Amino acid sequence: MGFKKILSSATAKAPSNIALIKYMGKDDYSLNIPANPSLSLTLNSLCSYAEVKLIEAPEGSITWLPALPQSVLQEDKGRIKTMSLSESGKCRVTAHIERVIAEASSVFLPYGLSFVSSDHLSIEVKTANTFPTASGIASSASSFAAITLATVAALAAEKKKLNQVLKENTHFRAELASLSRKGSGSSCRSFHGPWVLWQDKEVSSLRSSLPEMSDLVIVVTAEAKKISSSDAHRRVLSSPLWQGRQIRVSKRVAQLQEALVANNLKSISKIAFDELWEMHSLFHTSSEPFTYWQPGSVKVLKWFIDFLQQFDEPLIVTMDAGPNVHVLVRTSQANSLREKLSVSFPDFQILQDSQGSGATIID
C-alpha cells in the first residue's frame, strides 16, 4: 500500500438518546419525516465515535474500515468497540456521507463557513460504540449523528471556526441535526439535550425543572435485533391500534412537556409506561406480528410493575424497539437502584449513564 496523503481528519462523538414518546411510523420515508412527534432524553457516555479522513486520490471513493478511531485508542479499555456493519449498513453509511458532501454548500455558506472541495478525494470512515450495536439502545441515532458531524468537520476549511459556530449558534446545530435525520431519523435528537422534542422537520431542546437524571439499561441481550427499526416503521401501519395514534401521541407530548416543567415525576412515569406498552402493542398486532421481547424483558417489566410501589418516588420505565429495558431515575439515586437491579438480575449487564447535551467535535 502506497503512502496516503491525508488532507483533513476529524473525529466526533455523539450520544445515544432514549425516547419516552416514540418515533414510530413515517410520513416521508425518503426524508425520515415522522408520523408523530417524539420526546427524548439525550445521554452522555453511551455514545458513538466517528472518524472521517479526507485522502488525496485520483478517483474518489468512500470506505468504512472496521477499526477504532485513532483519537479513542488511548481511551479503549474494553469499553469502546468497533462496529460490525453488514453490506447494507456500509451502503447506508456511504450514501449518507455522499449526502453530507452534496449539501455542504447549503450547510456552510449561510454561516460564513468555507469548506474544502471533495474533488479527487477518497474518504475513510471508522466508527465505534460504547454499547451494543443494533440491540435497541439507539445505536443508529448516535452513529449517524457522529458520522454527520465528523464529515462536516473534516470538510471544514477552518475546523476551529466551525466548532465555535456549533457551540454558539443553535440554528447551525439544528441544520446539522436536520441533515443527520436524513440518514437516521432519531439521530437528529442526539444533537441537542438534555430533553429534546422532534416534530416534523424541527428538533429543539426543551425546558425542564427536573433534577439531573440518569438512565439505567438492563441489557437482556446484546444480540442484534432481527427486525430492523426501518422494517418496524412500515409494519406498524397495519396494526388496528395505528388508527388514532397521532392524536394520542400529540396529547401525551403536551402532557409530558407540562410535567417536565412542573417536575412531576409521577405524571412522567405514567406517560412513559403507557407509551412503552402502546408501541410494543403495535408490533404485536401488525398484520405481520413480531416482537422484540424476550423472556428476560417480561421478567424485568414484571419486576418493575411489582417494585414501582415500593420505591421512594416514581421511576420512568421505557423500552426502545428492542428487548432491553431502560429506567430513568434521579442521578442521586441511580447507584442505589443499580445495586437493587444487580441483585435481582445477576445474569444481565446493567449500563448506567447520565444526561448529556448532544454531539461534539473531539478532534
Side-chain angles (χ1 to χ4, degrees):
M1 182 179 292
F3 174 75
K4 296 180 180 180
K5 183 179 180 181
I6 299 173
L7 302 179
S8 177
S9 177
T11 305
K13 169 187 174 184
S16 179
N17 65 75
I18 176 64
L20 301 190
I21 305 295
K22 308 299 183 180
Y23 160 47
M24 187 49 60
K26 302 183 185 185
D27 279 346
D28 186 320
Y29 284 85
S30 64
L31 297 176
N32 288 330
I33 304 299
N36 59 258
S38 58
L39 198 158
S40 61
L41 178 69
T42 299
L43 301 177
N44 183 31
S45 60
L46 292 178
C47 64
S48 297
Y49 295 90
E51 175 189 272
V52 173
K53 289 183 178 180
L54 307 185
I55 300 167
E56 190 177 71
E59 295 184 7
S61 64
I62 300 174
T63 305
W64 176 83
L65 299 175
L68 289 175
Q70 188 68 30
S71 61
V72 304
L73 288 177
Q74 299 304 316
E75 300 180 33
D76 183 31
K77 297 177 181 177
R79 185 178 67 91
I80 303 173
K81 302 290 187 182
T82 186
M83 296 181 194
S84 177
L85 291 183
S86 64
E87 286 304 313
S88 62
K90 294 174 187 176
C91 290
R92 189 178 169 196
V93 168
T94 297
H96 185 62
I97 292 175
E98 290 174 343
R99 179 187 296 114
V100 173
I101 292 170
E103 298 189 23
S105 60
S106 62
V107 170
F108 282 87
L109 298 183
Y111 300 93
L113 298 168
S114 55
F115 59 97
V116 300
S117 170
S118 58
D119 294 339
H120 306 298
L121 288 180
S122 286
I123 296 176
E124 291 183 354
V125 57
K126 299 176 183 177
T127 53
N129 282 343
T130 63
F131 59 95
T133 302
S135 59
I137 315 180
S139 60
S140 176
S142 56
S143 298
F144 274 84
I147 290 167
T148 301
L149 186 53
T151 304
V152 167
L155 289 170
E158 299 177 79
K159 194 191 302 184
K160 185 177 181 180
K161 184 177 180 181
L162 171 77
N163 208 8
Q164 182 179 356
V165 175
L166 179 68
K167 291 177 179 178
E168 298 177 356
N169 193 311
T170 56
H171 294 292
F172 180 63
R173 183 172 284 270
E175 287 275 359
L176 296 184
S178 294
L179 178 56
S180 189
R181 183 201 73 231
K182 297 173 185 178
S184 169
S186 55
S187 70
C188 67
R189 296 192 307 243
S190 287
F191 276 83
H192 300 268
W195 293 99
V196 179
L197 175 66
W198 172 28
Q199 188 163 10
D200 195 43
K201 295 181 180 180
E202 304 298 323
V203 61
S204 59
S205 297
L206 292 174
R207 289 178 54 226
S208 171
S209 299
L210 293 184
E212 181 177 321
M213 303 295 288
S214 288
D215 181 22
L216 299 177
V217 190
I218 301 93
V219 182
V220 173
T221 177
E223 294 180 3
K225 55 192 182 185
K226 295 180 180 179
I227 304 296
S228 69
S229 295
S230 296
D231 195 7
H233 281 295
R234 297 181 186 276
R235 292 199 193 189
V236 295
L237 302 181
S238 66
S239 167
L241 298 177
W242 181 255
Q243 185 174 1
R245 173 159 168 80
Q246 287 88 341
I247 296 173
R248 294 192 299 274
V249 168
S250 294
K251 183 178 179 181
R252 284 189 193 124
V253 166
Q255 292 172 337
L256 185 49
Q257 287 182 266
E258 291 178 4
L260 288 172
V261 173
N263 189 17
N264 188 339
L265 281 172
K266 183 177 181 180
S267 179
I268 296 170
S269 175
K270 183 180 186 310
I271 293 167
F273 211 55
D274 288 348
E275 177 69 3
L276 178 168
W277 285 96
E278 178 169 310
M279 183 179 75
H280 283 268
S281 294
L282 288 168
F283 305 152
H284 302 161
T285 57
S286 65
S287 61
E288 296 179 78
F290 63 101
T291 187
Y292 292 112
W293 288 5
Q294 297 197 7
S297 311
V298 177
K299 181 180 180 181
V300 173
L301 287 174
K302 185 179 184 304
W303 184 88
F304 274 116
I305 291 171
D306 296 338
F307 182 69
L308 282 175
Q309 307 305 319
Q310 304 173 29
F311 204 63
D312 294 338
E313 63 180 36
L315 301 175
I316 303 169
V317 180
T318 189
M319 296 175 68
D320 267 345
N324 303 312
V325 182
H326 296 251
V327 55
L328 305 185
V329 63
R330 293 175 188 262
T331 297
S332 60
Q333 298 181 352
N335 289 338
S336 174
L337 178 58
R338 182 173 184 170
E339 290 178 7
K340 291 182 173 68
L341 291 170
S342 296
V343 171
S344 298
F345 305 107
D347 296 331
F348 297 153
Q349 180 184 13
I350 312 293
L351 303 178
Q352 182 174 337
D353 198 8
S354 58
Q355 66 187 43
S357 56
T360 57
I361 300 168
I362 62 172
D363 184 28

